[in-house]
Amino acid sequence: MAGPDYGALGATLKSVRILQSLSLLAIIGMTANFISMIISDSQTPPSVLVGTLSITCIAVIYCVITFILFLDNILPFLITTIIDSLLLVALIVVAVTVGEPLSYLNCQAIGSANDMGSAYDFTMSLGDSINQNGGQIDYSTWVGMTKPTCLETKSVWGLSIALW
């Protein structure tokens, strides 16, 4: 993995692209798992999750292609800068839309209630929400469903912010 010798900037580009790809792959894995769970329950996944998966898949393909072009010394830096800026805007949109209901959500408090009535009430309200939305799960309601879902969604949000 020698590639062209651009000094510290070249080494930085290589390491950053590898870290970006790893973060994006983690986001893809968690988001795809969410969508799989929702579809297995015969529901329609929230558009926020589908959009996140789409943007991160495009971004990971872009990272791999630019990394290969850099190693072959045929990477056009001006075009790459423009596309990087566009992907930055897309990832900011992902971070904002994913994080909107998460900013005030305390994941540690979700599983701590011993009241069975509140769990029943939550399940009934989630069912009503699904029925009102024509079979589509409301993202804001879904992220607060369970503690693992909340923590994983916050992980997606945090990785999206880290990619800025």
Side-chain angles (χ1 to χ4, degrees):
M1 187 167 53
D5 185 29
Y6 288 109
L9 290 177
T12 302
L13 180 79
K14 288 179 193 176
S15 60
V16 166
R17 284 290 189 229
I18 290 171
L19 291 174
Q20 284 175 335
S21 296
L22 291 176
S23 295
L24 289 166
L25 288 174
I27 291 172
I28 288 171
M30 287 184 276
T31 307
N33 182 41
F34 292 149
I35 291 174
S36 173
M37 288 188 314
I38 292 169
I39 289 176
S40 68
D41 288 337
S42 301
Q43 303 297 328
T44 305
S47 58
V48 172
L49 295 178
V50 175
T52 300
L53 187 62
S54 302
I55 290 172
T56 52
C57 285
I58 291 168
V60 95
I61 291 169
Y62 171 73
C63 282
V64 169
I65 289 172
T66 56
F67 189 76
I68 292 169
L69 291 175
F70 178 77
L71 290 178
D72 288 342
N73 203 15
I74 55 174
L75 183 66
F77 292 118
L78 182 60
I79 295 171
T80 303
T81 304
I82 293 168
I83 297 174
D84 277 352
S85 299
L86 293 174
L87 278 175
L88 173 68
V89 171
L91 287 170
I92 289 172
V93 170
V94 164
V96 169
T97 56
V98 167
E100 187 176 16
L102 292 173
S103 58
Y104 297 108
L105 187 61
N106 182 2
C107 296
Q108 302 304 322
I110 290 177
S112 65
N114 293 330
D115 185 16
M116 288 302 287
S118 65
Y120 175 77
D121 292 340
F122 177 76
T123 304
M124 293 306 293
S125 67
L126 182 62
D128 292 340
S129 172
I130 291 171
N131 291 336
Q132 289 175 357
N133 293 332
Q136 185 169 2
I137 295 176
D138 181 39
Y139 175 71
S140 298
T141 306
W142 178 78
V143 294
M145 188 181 303
T146 62
K147 187 175 182 177
T149 301
C150 178
L151 291 172
E152 288 180 34
T153 309
K154 281 198 172 193
S155 298
V156 169
W157 183 36
L159 287 171
S160 298
I161 292 170
L163 288 169
W164 291 5

